[in-house]
Amino acid sequence: MGTSTEPSLKVIEPATETVLAELPHAGVEEADAAVARAKRAFGAWRAIAPGDRAMHLRRLAATLAERVDELALLEARNVGKPIGDARGEVGLVVDTFNYYAGAPERLLGDTIPVAGGVDMSFREPLGVVGLIVPWNFPLPIASWKVAPALAAGNTIVLKPADLTPLTALELERAALDSGLPEGVLNVVAGPGSVVGERLVQHPDVAKIAFTGSTAVGRRIGALASEQIKRVTLELGGKSANVIFADADLAAAASAAPLAVFGNAGQDCCARSRILVESSALDRFMELLERAVTELRVGDPLAERTQMGPLISAEQRSKVRSYLDGDAPVAIRGSAPEGPGYWLAPTVLCPVSNQDRVAREEVFGPVAAVIPFDTEEEAIRIANDTIYGLSGSIWTANGARALRVARAIEAGTLSINSNTSVRVATPFGGFKQSGVGRELGPHALDYYTELKNVFLATN
Ligand code: NAD
């Protein structure tokens, strides 16, 4: 990848503010070369027996499994995420490749009863797909796209975020080491406005799968529409964590901090609006204070750490700007002094859902507690947002839990839990949180075209 004349990209370690790596910064030429390689590789890759394609995915999973510690360390240093989280994420990546290794032999079509012949449907690969990913979960989000795209017979150009290109480059290396044919998976590390936009506009790229901000997603959607290019978008969120008075408050309060402050709040699924039934507010805040102040914020490479620094100085000042509003600070956790882009986890209470901190995606360790009085009010506030990615409902009343879950306009909800992602289940957003779904069997629909063939028999 790249030539010596290219500008170089300095990758910073957010916990130390030092240079972790320096690599060539690709441009349009490298993007075009990668698309050409992927296009050349497509014919052979789509044609190999489904069982052989499955074997390639399994081998890649096995190669990654051997490198879990090495990849986790790189991701922890580059993103500033706790090493335990990073290890779990690489495990999820291995699981994702193993899960989609089951897909090539199960891409079933239909036979459809019609007059005069036999009608069949097939799932065809799209061709070269362009995958553009963000910096918060670099390797997992790449794998959620790469694995189903490969399983369905597509070839790939993957563009990581400038802040975190290192594990994507390791993924490309692991793919080659595991025997994946050359040209099937190509990684190009370059600026979004140059390499990303080139992929979106390249006539030989059949589809873009993007995860990132709603603003960039909107631009990608508009550019892609000029070529009627297939697009899936996984965008921002402003998810509600709805806590009813009848819930197990101790469980809800102990889970709430990491539901916002995990990955230092840089999580599209962050439950950053904590909606609490007024009659339980005082008790919940007491429990929450204990849980937030006990949160272990510090060196990402220490095993016990639960929250690391933010990704950059720029991200930290953006997040700090949300603390300047009208809402009072109710709880403030701890954070180390510099160097490192540290910010203490902070809970604001009470917050109105009209406040800026409740309307915009903060993408940092700031939670807004919003009291409510009735189930209807909770649903109304939860839905009063442009986003619809995830959310949680905490209650002991099963019927209410399902009623509220069905009423919330979001793609990925959990009841008495704050988890969002499982390899086998669909993940994605309603409203401005995106278009399409990743993970589970549904992701394959977004990496294939449905073809119908009619064979006349009379
Ligand atoms: P971003 O939108 O700035 O960048 C995402 C990727 O797009 C990067 O690789 C970037 O280089 C590239 N890019 C930037 N401008 C581009 C352009 N004009 N054309 C093509 N590509 C371009 O997002 P980020 O700051 O890296 O990530 C944070 C955002 O990602 C948050 O909004 C978060 O909610 C969202 N996110 C969503 C999910 C999800 O699954 N819904 C998951 C993780 C992150």
Side-chain angles (χ1 to χ4, degrees):
M1 192 206 78
T3 64
S4 56
T5 53
E6 286 161 9
S8 78
L9 173 66
K10 280 195 174 71
V11 180
I12 305 295
E13 184 167 1
T16 60
E17 303 185 33
T18 56
V19 177
L20 177 61
E22 196 164 352
L23 48 133
H25 212 189
V28 168
E29 212 178 296
E30 287 76 17
D32 285 357
V35 173
R37 285 197 299 277
K39 191 179 176 188
R40 277 196 302 277
F42 176 59
W45 179 246
R46 75 170 299 182
I48 70 169
D52 290 343
R53 228 169 31 237
M55 176 203 68
H56 277 295
L57 270 94
R58 275 190 210 101
R59 280 191 187 158
L60 176 50
T63 304
L64 293 168
E66 284 165 11
R67 302 180 186 178
V68 167
D69 287 340
E70 185 187 317
L71 290 165
L73 182 61
L74 197 57
E75 196 90 308
R77 292 187 68 187
N78 193 175
V79 185
K81 67 174 72 216
I83 185 73
D85 291 0
R87 216 176 283 120
E89 288 173 23
V90 183
L92 176 68
V93 170
V94 172
D95 291 348
T96 303
F97 282 102
N98 276 324
Y99 177 80
Y100 285 106
E105 293 166 297
R106 293 179 180 81
L107 278 175
L108 306 180
D110 295 310
T111 54
I112 302 166
V114 292
V118 178
D119 196 283
M120 299 157 272
S121 69
F122 296 88
R123 288 240 157 244
E124 306 282 13
L126 299 167
V128 178
V129 296
L131 312 180
I132 303 175
V133 297
W135 48 259
N136 56 342
F137 296 99
L139 200 53
I141 290 175
S143 75
W144 301 351
K145 298 173 177 8
V146 170
L150 288 181
N154 303 282
T155 55
I156 293 167
V157 179
L158 166 67
K159 194 208 88 61
D162 269 359
L163 291 166
T164 57
L166 302 179
T167 48
L169 292 165
E170 288 303 316
L171 176 64
E172 184 184 44
R173 189 164 306 145
L176 291 173
D177 291 350
S178 72
L180 195 74
E182 232 164 274
V184 171
L185 170 60
N186 307 273
V187 176
V188 183
S193 56
V194 180
V195 170
E197 289 214 5
R198 179 61 184 158
L199 293 178
V200 178
Q201 293 181 300
H202 200 300
D204 290 337
V205 173
K207 178 222 163 89
I208 294 290
F210 169 81
T211 298
S213 59
T214 296
V216 174
R218 192 174 291 123
R219 172 159 178 79
I220 287 177
L223 287 175
S225 70
E226 286 166 22
Q227 294 172 25
I228 320 293
K229 190 165 288 192
R230 276 81 187 118
V231 178
T232 44
L233 303 171
E234 296 288 350
L235 308 175
K238 193 73 211 174
S239 298
N241 189 3
V242 184
I243 296 158
F244 288 97
D246 67 355
D248 177 342
L249 289 183
S254 74
L258 283 175
V260 198
F261 306 139
N263 215 42
Q266 303 161 125
D267 181 347
C268 54
C269 290
R271 276 100 167 128
S272 54
R273 291 184 300 151
I274 306 177
L275 277 51
V276 184
E277 191 166 352
S278 300
S279 57
L281 184 63
D282 290 346
R283 176 76 188 124
F284 177 79
M285 289 303 286
E286 264 171 47
L287 294 163
L288 184 66
E289 176 157 25
R290 197 174 314 151
V292 172
T293 48
E294 281 173 2
L295 211 60
R296 297 185 295 274
V297 182
D299 179 6
L301 304 186
E303 287 293 339
R304 281 171 43 80
T305 294
Q306 294 173 294
M307 187 186 125
L310 299 187
I311 189 76
S312 64
E314 188 190 352
Q315 185 68 14
R316 183 175 55 185
S317 39
K318 186 189 143 212
V319 174
R320 271 192 186 136
S321 76
Y322 288 95
L323 301 174
D324 298 337
D326 294 335
V329 171
I331 306 168
R332 181 166 276 142
S334 64
E337 298 290 309
Y341 309 121
W342 305 100
L343 192 62
T346 305
V347 179
L348 307 175
C349 179
V351 176
S352 151
N353 199 50
Q354 301 313 311
D355 291 348
R356 177 171 164 252
V357 71
R359 305 212 72 74
E360 297 178 9
E361 184 181 45
V362 174
F363 228 56
V366 178
V369 175
I370 305 171
F372 69 85
D373 290 316
T374 63
E375 183 179 315
E376 293 66 34
E377 191 187 6
I379 294 167
R380 185 183 55 70
I381 296 172
N383 287 338
D384 180 17
T385 167
I386 60 168
Y387 296 111
L389 188 55
S390 65
S392 291
I393 299 127
W394 293 80
T395 172
N397 178 335
R400 165 186 271 171
L402 269 183
R403 201 162 56 228
V404 176
R406 295 296 303 272
I408 290 184
E409 298 157 351
T412 318
L413 291 164
S414 49
I415 296 167
N416 296 333
S417 156
N418 284 333
T419 56
S420 300
V421 170
R422 280 163 207 85
V423 174
T425 64
F427 174 77
F430 279 29
K431 303 196 281 189
Q432 293 190 31
S433 285
V435 176
R437 290 294 178 271
E438 301 202 293
L439 297 172
H442 309 81
L444 294 161
D445 294 348
Y446 299 94
Y447 291 98
T448 50
E449 285 284 10
L450 191 58
K451 179 184 284 176
N452 194 70
V453 177
F454 172 73
L455 168 70
T457 53
N458 53 6

